[in-house]
Amino acid sequence: MQLIPKSHPRAKSLLVREKLVKGFDNGLVAKEGLLAQGRGEAFDYLLGEKTGKAAARAIKAAAAQLLLAEMPVISVNGNIAALCPKQVVRLSKQIKAKIEVNLFYTNANRKRAIIRTLKKNGATEILGSKSDSSTKLSGIDSARRIVDKNGIFVADIVVVPLEDGDRTMALRKAGKTVITFDLNPLSRTSQTASITIVDNVTRAIDLLIVECKKMSKSNKKDLHRIIADFDNKKNLRESVNQIKNNLTRRARVA
Ligand code: ATP
């Protein structure tokens, strides 16, 4: 791993990039996952590399939704396993969610590496690796249509960080509430999900864990109110405005 001086103005973002490269070297991340990271970095730059008000609002709504869930599942791909395995396990314990590995570019070795990483970080049960408990989600062509009968297939709420649009649409069509982390407020995933957290997952997942903990004693009525007051489309427009404002500010300085 390259040494990044702490004084570097973009040290945090470069460390995230390093984590992904390390994940690629260790067989967790697909080549395509590196490209997805690149796209994410571009949007993160435009968003000012910080959690905006819209993201904070989405995190709160996501926490309320997860605390009301009957059968929440966190879907994990290579990028997430490389970027924040510990936090995925922490979140799953906090909200009693199952963890399921689901890959776009499926590959048995990669899946094994992801499972190993999650276990090393404290996960006990990980779904998505047994063919005898798999079934198909209709409406998608890729390997991602294969889901676990006891996981995503029966989940009411699915957390899908860094997802592709087809799968998000298929999950919504299957009646699931979908919570996503996606830095691009214009992606099909962002536009289709029930709750879109437009922020870097490496920042936002910690905030979501804290919010879930903070709200765990709230009564159901209050949680329902938070969800009813949340408007994903409006929130996405606010993230787009955050980008516009940053661009205007930077252009003035340039
Ligand atoms: P869609 O099919 O939803 O339109 P896409 O094809 O543009 O999406 P993919 O390459 O499938 O995108 O998925 C990657 C998405 O994840 C991108 O929208 C990218 O901005 C986002 N992304 C990448 N890295 C991060 C990250 N660290 N945190 C949050 N989002 C990220």
Side-chain angles (χ1 to χ4, degrees):
M1 208 189 260
Q2 247 180 352
L3 218 55
I4 298 161
K6 276 197 184 133
S7 56
H8 191 289
R10 300 190 56 246
K12 278 191 187 153
S13 305
L14 294 177
L15 273 173
V16 172
R17 184 186 293 178
E18 286 295 315
K19 270 193 192 174
L20 211 48
V21 171
K22 192 172 167 215
F24 176 74
D25 290 339
N26 291 339
L28 294 174
V29 175
K31 276 186 225 143
E32 294 80 357
L34 296 176
L35 298 172
Q37 163 74 13
R39 180 161 8 211
E41 280 186 15
F43 278 99
D44 207 8
Y45 191 82
L46 296 173
L47 285 159
E49 292 177 338
K50 58 173 193 251
T51 306
K53 279 190 193 141
R57 205 175 299 120
I59 289 168
K60 203 166 172 200
Q65 191 74 80
L66 286 169
L67 289 167
L68 288 168
E70 287 189 359
M71 169 59 176
V73 174
I74 307 171
S75 178
V76 176
N77 63 20
N79 284 37
I80 291 301
L83 290 176
C84 39
K86 206 170 261 148
Q87 290 91 331
V88 165
V89 177
R90 233 180 258 153
L91 179 64
S92 78
K93 289 187 176 159
Q94 182 67 42
I95 54 164
K96 296 185 180 55
K98 292 186 178 180
I99 297 176
E100 181 167 337
V101 177
N102 192 277
L103 308 179
F104 191 97
Y105 301 98
T106 199
N107 165 318
N109 286 338
R110 207 149 67 75
K111 203 173 244 189
R112 267 196 295 274
I114 293 170
I115 291 172
R116 245 193 336 267
T117 299
L118 290 168
K119 284 196 172 155
K120 228 172 24 193
N121 284 280
T124 44
E125 195 196 6
I126 301 162
L127 304 175
S129 63
K130 294 195 185 85
S131 54
D132 57 350
S133 69
S134 67
T135 185
K136 285 177 188 157
L137 209 63
S138 60
I140 9 175
D141 295 328
S142 74
R144 296 208 121 181
R145 72 176 178 273
I146 299 166
V147 292
D148 199 291
K149 273 186 210 161
N150 304 308
I152 290 174
F153 193 68
V154 288
D156 57 344
I157 318 271
V158 192
V159 182
V160 285
L162 326 191
E163 190 51 80
D164 84 298
D166 290 347
R167 185 139 176 284
T168 309
M169 281 178 206
L171 288 168
R172 295 287 282 132
K173 266 194 204 144
K176 320 277 178 203
T177 295
V178 175
I179 297 171
T180 193
F181 296 85
D182 193 329
L183 280 159
N184 176 4
L186 305 170
S187 76
R188 288 177 309 148
T189 297
S190 285
Q191 301 282 333
T192 317
S194 323
I195 300 175
T196 307
I197 301 168
V198 180
D199 195 9
N200 199 312
V201 67
T202 58
R203 281 191 297 270
I205 194 165
D206 283 319
L207 300 174
L208 179 59
I209 295 166
V210 170
E211 204 63 67
C212 286
K213 205 167 176 182
K214 237 168 52 189
M215 288 161 66
S216 61
K217 300 268 179 329
S218 305
N219 66 50
K220 285 192 174 185
K221 212 170 128 201
D222 290 342
L223 297 176
H224 279 295
R225 192 172 314 118
I226 291 170
I227 297 164
D229 287 346
F230 179 76
D231 180 338
N232 204 44
K233 290 274 179 234
K234 193 169 153 207
N235 219 50
L236 285 169
R237 279 196 294 276
E238 204 172 309
S239 295
V240 172
N241 282 334
Q242 188 183 335
I243 291 176
K244 277 189 201 160
N245 294 339
N246 271 332
L247 281 172
T248 313
R249 209 171 308 125
R250 278 167 184 256
R252 243 187 259 133
V253 175

